[in-house]
Amino acid sequence: MDNKSNGKLLALAIGGAVLMGSLFFGLSFLTGYKVPADNISVFLTPLRSFAGWISLILFASFVIMGLGKMSSSISSKWFLSFPLGVIALVAFLFALLWLRPSGILMPTTGRTTTMDGKYIRSVAELTDYLEKPVLSPNVPKAPPGFDFKAAKALWELKCNKCHTQGSTMDAFKTKYKKTGKIDVVVNRMQTIAGSGITVDDAKTIMMYLNEKF
């Protein structure tokens, strides 16, 4: 491969990556894309993800160029040049993995983002986050002497009527309980015709789910 072919290959890789990134970037807003936390930039977040695509495409281009050059210059020393070339390409790949925004060398970033903008980078951190109690700000605290046992029985009775609790438990834990929106889901169920949940029932169920679930 000559320099002219190499230039065309690089231009094609870069142009294709930019075009693809532009399409993804524009499409993300058309589909109602929202960042996982308020303190994360709406523009920089997809651009950082796009940087990974550019790195991948450029790396693939370098691999093709390197293999092409080696294949055109194989000689009696091919047994030395080929493994050295492979080692260099693998080292470049690992460098991308380690230095990328969510890579190992960046301790302040990660793939999973909490509502307050912090990152979860390990199983232990994820377990701690899931076990951390979250109280819904719009649900009043249970008064002294509140019967949590009776409130639990009421919850099991009312919230198993239209659907089983097990069928909605994953969504309830992650979408409502962990984000402090107990009132949202309970009020929604209370307004459904035929639910049999009164306003007082809803308040009781909210207080139980908020403090004891």
Side-chain angles (χ1 to χ4, degrees):
M1 299 177 69
D2 55 22
N3 292 331
K4 187 175 181 180
S5 299
N6 291 338
K8 290 181 178 179
L9 182 60
L10 282 175
L12 178 62
I14 295 174
V18 171
L19 178 60
M20 182 179 65
S22 300
L23 292 175
F24 273 114
F25 187 75
L27 186 61
S28 65
F29 292 99
L30 292 177
T31 55
Y33 166 80
K34 293 183 179 180
V35 292
D38 294 337
N39 63 341
I40 297 178
S41 173
V42 177
F43 296 97
L44 290 180
T45 302
L47 286 178
R48 286 171 180 168
S49 299
F50 168 56
W53 286 96
I54 286 186
S55 300
L56 179 62
I57 294 176
L58 289 180
F59 173 74
S61 300
F62 283 126
V63 170
I64 296 174
M65 289 171 56
L67 292 177
K69 285 184 175 294
M70 284 189 289
S71 65
S72 63
S73 60
I74 287 180
S75 62
S76 59
K77 297 181 179 180
W78 67 270
F79 62 93
L80 181 61
S81 61
F82 187 79
L84 287 178
V86 171
I87 291 173
L89 293 174
V90 172
F92 179 70
L93 175 61
F94 272 94
L96 291 178
L97 292 175
W98 278 54
L99 297 176
R100 60 196 173 90
S102 59
I104 301 174
L105 296 184
M106 303 295 179
T108 59
T109 60
R111 287 191 172 274
T112 304
T113 310
T114 60
M115 295 296 291
D116 55 0
K118 295 181 180 180
Y119 294 95
I120 296 176
R121 294 177 52 81
S122 67
V123 175
E125 291 178 354
L126 178 60
T127 301
D128 291 340
Y129 171 73
L130 293 176
E131 293 179 351
K132 180 181 178 182
V134 177
L135 297 179
S136 301
N138 295 326
V139 176
K141 295 283 291 183
F146 183 81
D147 191 345
F148 284 102
K149 185 176 181 180
K152 180 181 179 182
L154 177 65
W155 169 61
E156 292 175 343
L157 174 66
K158 298 293 185 176
C159 297
N160 266 316
K161 186 175 182 181
C162 300
H163 58 76
T164 61
Q165 291 174 346
S167 64
T168 61
M169 199 51 57
D170 287 342
F172 173 76
K173 289 179 179 178
T174 57
K175 187 176 181 180
Y176 299 102
K177 177 60 179 174
K178 291 303 296 182
T179 57
K181 297 179 180 178
I182 292 292
D183 58 308
V184 174
V185 64
V186 175
N187 284 330
R188 184 180 299 169
M189 297 302 101
Q190 189 265 326
T191 56
I192 293 178
S195 68
I197 303 175
T198 66
V199 175
D200 290 337
D201 289 342
K203 185 177 179 180
T204 300
I205 292 171
M206 286 182 202
M207 288 188 286
Y208 163 72
L209 294 175
N210 195 43
E211 299 181 37
K212 294 297 183 180
F213 180 77

